[in-house]
Amino acid sequence: MQSFKIARVMGIPIELHITFILLLILVYYFWDIGGFILYVFLFTSVVLHELGHSYVAKKYGVHIEKILLLPIGGMAMMDRIPKEGEFKIAIAGPIVSIILGILFLGLSTFMDFNILKIDNMVYPLFMTVGVLNLMLGVFNLLPAFPMDGGRVLRALISHKVGYLKATKIASTIGQYLSLIMLGFGIISLNIILILIAIFIYYGASQEYHALLSHDVFNKIKVKDIMSEDIVSVSPDDSIKDLVDLMFKYKYMGYPVVKDGKLVGSVSFNDIRNVDENISVKDIMKPPIVVSKNMDLNDLLLKMGNSERAYVVENNKLKGIISKTDIIRILKLLGLKRYEDNENNKK
Ligand SMILES: [Zn+2]
């Protein structure tokens, strides 16, 4: 994704996506400088909406990577949304928009400029910006994902029905809403309405699936997926011994064990372009050590880019987990989800 940084507010970079800039050029081409000015006011309003979310989120210790502006709106990219702050973070954006809407409408009763004329309709700048801000605020309060109102709804009902169920309810409402909008869009041949409907439909289902996989990952423990067939090497083995072992067992990586203790890790990648006469201890890397009760979320965080992790209990190597094992589990889960869907249809 190509984007350009234009400013930094409250320590948060504001970036314009390239499609946003293309749209800006199109607006200028079709509606001249009036359209351009209106567009700049609008995207400033969207940035303020996102800054509303960000301001509250920061109070909950959330890191905001950036605010990205796309033709469909803005996005504050947060590393996480804490459950306890979700209500306040979600509602802050629409509140900012509604306040802006009221301020601009108030301002337009004192002074305004007819900035744009489309099909003999005249658009006064402040009034138009005011109305659009109110629409942005109210639209985002719809109780459905991926709008802010979906989060507000989830925060309000999750203590009664549970977080997962609350997410499912808000994303189901989002999907129905998008279908209704799609219907209206098709009847009125309104391409923007159709695009928004498609955007909401996908946004709504993603929210649920992201949470669902997070929830499932919490339930899978390292001990459920680790392999207990351990073939280890000694730090004093030569590279030639290691290569022979790789041909024999066909594993891509091996724990290095000395006096019953895990001291390192070697993999196929480490032995490329090295002298055959050096020994394992010269090329081994520090092992990633995990405990057998760790869940899949923590395991993935701990593993980072590493290919494998070692399970150690009481100083003894108990198992190995490779990225391949994890991918296999993910595929099985994919199948499981498909089956669950099929069963629900019956
Ligand atoms: Zn928002």
Side-chain angles (χ1 to χ4, degrees), residues 8 32 98 163 249 309 319:
R8 183 181 275 272
D32 216 341
I98 289 170
Y163 199 67
Y249 289 102

Coordinates of all heavy atoms in Angstrom, one line a residue, residues 8 32 98 163 249 309 319:
R8 N 1.8 15.4 11.3 CA 1.9 14.6 12.6 C 1.1 15.3 13.6 O 1.4 16.5 13.9 CB 3.4 14.4 12.9 CG 3.6 13.5 14.1 CD 5.1 13.4 14.4 NE 5.7 12.3 13.7 CZ 5.8 11.1 14.1 NH1 5.3 10.7 15.2 NH2 6.4 10.2 13.3
D32 N -13.7 21.6 -10.1 CA -12.9 22.8 -10.0 C -12.4 23.1 -8.5 O -12.5 22.3 -7.7 CB -13.6 24.0 -10.6 CG -12.7 25.0 -11.3 OD1 -11.5 24.9 -11.0 OD2 -13.2 25.8 -12.1
I98 N -20.3 15.1 15.3 CA -21.6 15.7 15.6 C -21.4 17.1 16.1 O -22.0 18.1 15.6 CB -22.5 14.9 16.5 CG1 -23.0 13.6 15.8 CG2 -23.7 15.7 17.1 CD1 -23.6 12.6 16.7
Y163 N -18.5 -11.6 25.0 CA -17.8 -10.8 23.9 C -18.0 -11.4 22.5 O -18.3 -10.7 21.6 CB -16.3 -10.7 24.3 CG -15.6 -9.6 23.7 CD1 -15.8 -8.3 24.0 CD2 -14.6 -9.9 22.7 CE1 -15.1 -7.3 23.4 CE2 -13.8 -8.8 22.1 CZ -14.1 -7.5 22.5 OH -13.4 -6.5 21.9
Y249 N 16.7 -38.3 8.5 CA 15.4 -38.0 9.1 C 14.5 -37.0 8.4 O 13.3 -36.9 8.7 CB 15.6 -37.5 10.5 CG 16.1 -38.6 11.5 CD1 17.5 -38.6 11.8 CD2 15.2 -39.5 12.0 CE1 17.9 -39.6 12.6 CE2 15.7 -40.5 12.8 CZ 17.1 -40.6 13.1 OH 17.5 -41.5 14.0
A309 N 10.3 -23.6 17.6 CA 10.4 -23.3 19.1 C 10.6 -24.6 19.8 O 10.1 -25.7 19.3 CB 9.2 -22.5 19.6
G319 N 9.6 -31.2 23.6 CA 9.0 -31.3 22.3 C 9.4 -30.1 21.4 O 10.2 -29.2 21.8

